[in-house]
Amino acid sequence: YGDYSKVLGGEWMDGIKGVAEAKGYGDETIESGVSVKFTADEDSLFWIEKEVTNACRVTFRWKASCEPLFKGDPYDYLSFEVDGEEKGFVCGDIGWEEKSVEVLGDGIHRLRWCFQRDYEGSAGNDCAWLADLEIVSAKRLTFDRGGATEGNVPDSLSLYEGESVILPD
């Protein structure tokens, strides 16, 4: 694992094609003061991924300084995927944006951030950043009739740590 695991915490897997890297970075442009900086030479990519169990909410901040969209297509970009499905990307010269994704369903889920540069062209700093990653597990709240013979039992609810629950009736 690279020093990015110190910034993000926990166990990570990574992969590379060409000359690329992600590393922890002292960053005064974000409130937390640290981020992970992704860089890559032309026609290269670097990804980091983490496995989570069951439903959760993934929240993070990201920014980019690279080639912008061209005719609707990104050429250099940082993407976020859940189980192989892209949930968003950043490219161009943009400041910090917050992203929040709900990961649904039981079982193992793979979260992946991948920075990719195309084979030609350069813009900005040719890199992207990731910071303030938070993964909050969903909890299932179920209700039991408890011997009652009348009234409705609410359906099961999914909620995240810190959320309030308002019960019907």
Side-chain angles (χ1 to χ4, degrees):
Y1 304 116
D3 60 352
Y4 56 83
S5 63
K6 293 177 187 173
V7 174
L8 301 174
E11 295 287 320
W12 290 85
M13 294 171 280
D14 56 26
I16 191 170
K17 175 189 161 233
V19 178
E21 68 178 347
K23 62 180 183 175
Y25 177 74
D27 192 338
E28 58 191 42
T29 68
I30 187 85
E31 296 83 18
S32 62
V34 292
S35 67
V36 174
K37 183 178 183 180
F38 293 79
T39 60
D41 284 351
E42 290 181 357
D43 197 25
S44 297
L45 63 87
F46 189 90
W47 56 262
I48 59 173
E49 70 178 33
K50 180 177 201 61
E51 288 186 344
V52 295
T53 303
N54 298 327
C56 63
R57 181 175 50 218
V58 181
T59 305
F60 55 90
R61 294 181 189 273
W62 55 358
K63 72 175 182 175
S65 177
C66 53
E67 290 179 272
L69 285 174
F70 180 71
K71 296 184 180 178
D73 292 322
Y75 285 86
D76 301 346
Y77 59 97
L78 177 62
S79 64
F80 174 61
E81 299 175 1
V82 175
D83 297 330
E85 181 182 334
E86 187 176 281
K87 298 296 184 177
F89 65 88
V90 289
C91 66
D93 192 14
I94 63 163
W96 289 106
E97 293 183 352
E98 184 170 302
K99 178 82 173 166
S100 185
V101 175
E102 299 217 6
V103 178
L104 304 175
D106 294 335
I108 303 292
H109 298 284
R110 185 186 60 191
L111 311 177
R112 178 182 277 191
W113 288 263
C114 182
F115 181 69
Q116 182 169 338
R117 277 194 67 201
D118 67 347
Y119 60 91
E120 62 184 45
S122 181
N125 295 317
D126 292 321
C127 58
W129 294 264
L130 172 66
D132 300 334
L133 173 64
E134 183 178 30
I135 300 170
V136 179
S137 296
K139 302 296 180 194
R140 193 129 195 81
L141 185 60
T142 58
F143 304 92
D144 189 306
R145 184 170 292 284
T149 57
E150 293 184 20
N152 296 326
V153 175
D155 293 332
S156 295
L157 301 171
S158 289
L159 61 144
Y160 299 99
E161 182 179 327
E163 289 184 331
S164 298
V165 176
I166 299 174
L167 301 176
D169 301 324

